């Protein structure tokens, strides 16, 4: 445990950021899974509407620095391929 006052404060802010990042990452993964379940159920209209929401979540995660740009591009491409396969 840190004894220095500034490091104690830094540890608190690091924990807050970690929890926020975890929340953003979790909501992104939930949005992606929602699209994938709609694809499995072969619901084209639902999948396309959920796809736009998932894109927004992924882009927000990139903007906040939670995931990398290439990872986001790969996720979005994969989702688009899946949705287009049922359309």
């Amino acid at each position: 445990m840190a004894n220095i006052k500034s490091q104690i404060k830094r540890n608190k802010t690091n924990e807050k950021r970690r929890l926020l990042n975890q929340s953003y990452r979790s909501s992104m993964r939930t949005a992606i899974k929602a699209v994938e379940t709609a694809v499995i159920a072969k619901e084209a209209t639902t999948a396309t509407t959920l796809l736009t929401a998932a894109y927004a979540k992924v882009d927000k995660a990139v903007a906040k620095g939670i995931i990398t740009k290439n990872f986001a591009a790969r996720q979005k491409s994969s989702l688009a391929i899946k949705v287009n396969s049922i359309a």
Side-chain angles (χ1 to χ4, degrees), residues 12 37 49:
K12 285 181 184 178
T37 55
T49 56

Side-chain angles (χ1 to χ4, degrees), residues 16-77:
K16 287 179 189 175
R17 293 306 311 173
R18 185 185 72 81
L19 292 174
L20 272 174
N21 290 344
Q22 186 178 8
S23 172
Y24 288 128
R25 185 181 290 265
S26 175
S27 67
M28 179 191 70
R29 288 176 176 164
T30 302
I32 289 170
K33 287 178 184 175
V35 173
E36 290 172 345
T37 55
V39 168
I40 290 170
K42 298 197 184 306
E43 299 171 356
T45 56
T46 307
T48 53
T49 56
L50 290 173
L51 181 66
T52 57
Y55 274 10
K57 295 274 187 182
V58 170
D59 289 337
K60 189 170 186 173
V62 171
K64 292 188 175 293
I66 296 167
I67 61 172
T68 63
K69 184 173 62 171
N70 287 346
F71 179 77
R74 194 168 61 246
Q75 291 294 316
K76 289 164 66 172
S77 174

